[in-house]
Amino acid sequence: MGIVKISDTLHEEVRKTSAVMERSINSQAEFWMKVGRIAEQNPTLTYEQIIEREMRSQNVKSVRLISE
């Protein structure tokens, strides 16, 4: 494990998004890095396809959203 330096502005965006997504700041940053890495390696995939692929790799069959 290491330290990654990011701008204060990006850190604030990670902090705000992590609160909404109910992830730790580190988990949110790691998620964005992972999705970005996959997107660079597979430039024809959409975000939705990347998420579907990752869910399949973890044997997630379906996600049920709860209405407000």
Side-chain angles (χ1 to χ4, degrees), residues 4-31:
V4 176
K5 289 191 170 210
I6 60 174
S7 69
D8 291 340
T9 303
L10 182 56
H11 187 272
E12 182 64 13
E13 290 301 313
V14 174
R15 187 193 64 74
K16 290 188 289 188
T17 304
S18 71
V20 172
M21 301 305 290
E22 297 185 358
R23 295 181 177 126
S24 69
I25 293 173
N26 286 347
S27 292
Q28 184 64 46
E30 185 176 344
F31 175 76

Side-chain angles (χ1 to χ4, degrees), residues 7-65:
S7 69
D8 291 340
T9 303
L10 182 56
H11 187 272
E12 182 64 13
E13 290 301 313
V14 174
R15 187 193 64 74
K16 290 188 289 188
T17 304
S18 71
V20 172
M21 301 305 290
E22 297 185 358
R23 295 181 177 126
S24 69
I25 293 173
N26 286 347
S27 292
Q28 184 64 46
E30 185 176 344
F31 175 76
W32 280 353
M33 285 187 272
K34 183 176 183 179
V35 170
R37 178 179 46 83
I38 294 169
E40 282 189 344
Q41 293 170 345
N42 302 276
T44 61
L45 293 180
T46 65
Y47 174 78
E48 289 80 11
Q49 291 169 325
I50 291 170
I51 298 303
E52 285 176 21
R53 179 181 125 165
E54 290 304 298
M55 290 176 67
R56 274 195 313 273
S57 76
Q58 296 298 317
N59 295 317
V60 176
K61 302 289 186 217
S62 65
V63 175
R64 188 173 137 229
L65 300 177

